[in-house]
Amino acid sequence: PFSPRIALGGEVKFGPLEPGDHVEIFTLAGERVVSLDPDSMGVARWNGLTPSGAQAVGGLYFFVVVRQGAPVARGKLGLLR
């Protein structure tokens, strides 16, 4: 599980990623919460906020790592509030 209050830097990190990769995070209902691009070190970071700056609701989320338009990795992420 991920908790922004206790995670190092307040973020969950995905990496190493290649240039052009991105990470998409979805609710269990399949609604996209956020799309993340990697930084220059190949790490995408999520602080638990939506693009509007609101806190995402605690619960279970799915993530997909996308490379050249195709999913290359998938997983689950628990967000604690």
Side-chain angles (χ1 to χ4, degrees), residues 6-80:
I6 60 174
L8 185 62
E11 304 168 318
V12 63
K13 297 159 187 75
F14 300 89
L17 302 173
E18 296 180 9
D21 289 356
H22 65 276
V23 178
E24 307 231 346
I25 298 177
F26 298 91
T27 65
L28 292 180
E31 299 171 356
R32 184 179 1 197
V33 176
V34 67
S35 182
L36 308 166
D37 294 318
D39 59 20
S40 61
M41 300 297 293
V43 178
R45 303 164 191 273
W46 187 43
N47 57 7
L49 300 178
T50 66
S52 67
Q55 288 187 352
V57 176
L60 189 60
Y61 292 84
F62 294 113
F63 68 87
V64 179
V65 178
V66 179
R67 179 172 295 146
Q68 297 178 352
V72 294
R74 297 175 186 180
K76 297 175 189 170
L77 171 67
L79 175 62
L80 302 176

